[in-house]
Amino acid sequence: MKKVLVTGALGQIGSELIVKLRNEYGVDNVIGTDIRSIPNSEVVTNGIFENLDVMDDKSLASLCKKYEIDTVIHLASLLSAVGEQKPQFAWKLNMGSLTNILEVCREFNYKLFTPSSIAAFGESSPKDLTPQDTIQRPSTMYGVTKVAGELLCDYYFKKFGVDTRGVRFPGLISYVTPPGGGTTDYAVDIYYEALKNKKYNSFIASGTKMDMMYMPDALSAIVDLIEADGSKLIHRNAFNITAMNFDPEEISNEIKKHIPEFEFGYNVDPVRQSIAESWPNSIDPTCAVEEWGFKFEYDLSKMTVDMLDKLAGKGIGDKNVSLCK
Ligand code: VAH
């Protein structure tokens, strides 16, 4: 039976992954950790939760031993936009925490999943259907930490036999926990604003295509890769995965099918726009499909229906809003 410790458990991915893992592996086999604590969060109240600063290697090792885990899912990280505001801290946190995690996995023979991102590519990477193996010279500190993290995880696999695995996540969209500090966050904000105010000005410019994925598909990908037969993996860190690809116009037009009065415009943020322009227009997930059966369920249309329904169900926006089906 798997026993998993998750870092960043109160973040955008972690807060939903914990619920899924508790269902998959049993409540007593999932240890959620975060530097923060949100007392009324179900992550904290519905299972095992511990405060943990991933920069404190001794506390990390002691928690791992206390719960006798065998797998770590390391999610704690600064994202792209915040990383550009605090680049030195982003390097220190993203790489310092990963080094601590890799060392504890090496010492106690734990399996490790930690995500990379499409941000691991840069201007000189092929922009369309970016291949699994290609040049990676990102121009953001977040991207630099993601490439360095991929290389470090592959090194620990080859040098010490640590079972490391990861995916390059596209932008992730969810209705549970608002995202924090990313460039793709516009694709989440737009749903909230469409319901609350029936209008939204995108901070990403017209025509800027990026790969995206609905959170349920991202969570399934994490579990599927962790459970995959390691002997069949040619790649390890990290697999290209994606579910859809759109620009701001396309997502706004999808929302208008349900909220016809939705007004969409632009108020471009030059910093996040320049980050977005340095990333691929689309990436090629073939290796993930062939090596561990990556699949997804939600496209833009199906995600939009679910996002609007779930957000309206949480009381976001006018109670009487009638969503056109
Ligand atoms: C970000 N949501 O915007 C993250 C992600 C591909 C984007 O890495 O920084």
Side-chain angles (χ1 to χ4, degrees), residues 79-81 117-119 142 169-172 181-185 279:
L79 297 181
S80 58
S117 160
I118 61 172
Y142 175 66
F169 274 135
L172 298 182
T183 298
T184 58
D185 295 354
W279 292 349

Side-chain angles (χ1 to χ4, degrees), residues 19-39:
V19 176
K20 182 178 180 73
L21 293 177
R22 285 172 177 165
N23 291 332
E24 294 272 340
Y25 299 134
V27 171
D28 294 337
N29 294 312
V30 180
I31 293 83
T33 73
D34 202 289
I35 194 167
R36 303 166 294 168
S37 183
I38 304 175

Side-chain angles (χ1 to χ4, degrees), residues 185-236:
D185 295 354
Y186 91 91
V188 178
D189 300 342
I190 191 169
Y191 288 106
Y192 283 84
E193 292 306 313
L195 284 166
K196 283 193 288 192
N197 302 310
K198 297 190 174 47
K199 63 182 175 186
Y200 180 65
N201 290 319
S202 168
F203 58 73
I204 295 295
S206 172
T208 309
K209 279 192 170 287
M210 286 189 275
D211 283 293
M212 301 280 183
M213 182 177 286
Y214 198 30
M215 189 60 79
D217 287 328
L219 304 182
S220 297
I222 293 173
V223 173
D224 290 350
L225 180 52
I226 284 177
E227 295 291 347
D229 176 354
S231 67
K232 296 206 171 48
L233 299 180
I234 299 164
H235 297 82
R236 289 270 176 166

Side-chain angles (χ1 to χ4, degrees), residues 88-205:
Q88 293 78 6
F89 179 58
W91 173 265
K92 188 175 170 193
L93 174 62
N94 291 4
M95 299 315 296
S97 64
L98 180 58
T99 305
N100 290 345
I101 295 280
L102 282 165
E103 274 299 285
V104 83
C105 289
R106 179 183 63 79
E107 191 175 345
F108 300 110
N109 193 29
Y110 299 150
K111 179 183 283 189
L112 170 62
F113 172 95
T114 192
S116 180
S117 160
I118 61 172
F121 297 110
E123 289 287 0
S124 51
S125 308
K127 295 295 275 186
D128 299 303
L129 285 176
T130 308
Q132 176 67 42
D133 300 310
T134 189
I135 190 166
Q136 293 176 258
R137 294 190 64 80
S139 51
T140 64
M141 177 55 86
Y142 175 66
V144 168
T145 69
K146 286 302 165 184
V147 173
E150 289 185 12
L151 296 173
L152 204 52
C153 289
D154 274 351
Y155 178 84
Y156 267 71
F157 171 67
K158 293 189 181 87
K159 179 85 173 178
F160 304 116
V162 178
D163 188 347
T164 60
R165 306 158 184 223
V167 296
R168 290 171 185 146
F169 274 135
L172 298 182
I173 295 161
S174 63
Y175 63 86
V176 174
T177 306
T183 298
T184 58
D185 295 354
Y186 91 91
V188 178
D189 300 342
I190 191 169
Y191 288 106
Y192 283 84
E193 292 306 313
L195 284 166
K196 283 193 288 192
N197 302 310
K198 297 190 174 47
K199 63 182 175 186
Y200 180 65
N201 290 319
S202 168
F203 58 73
I204 295 295

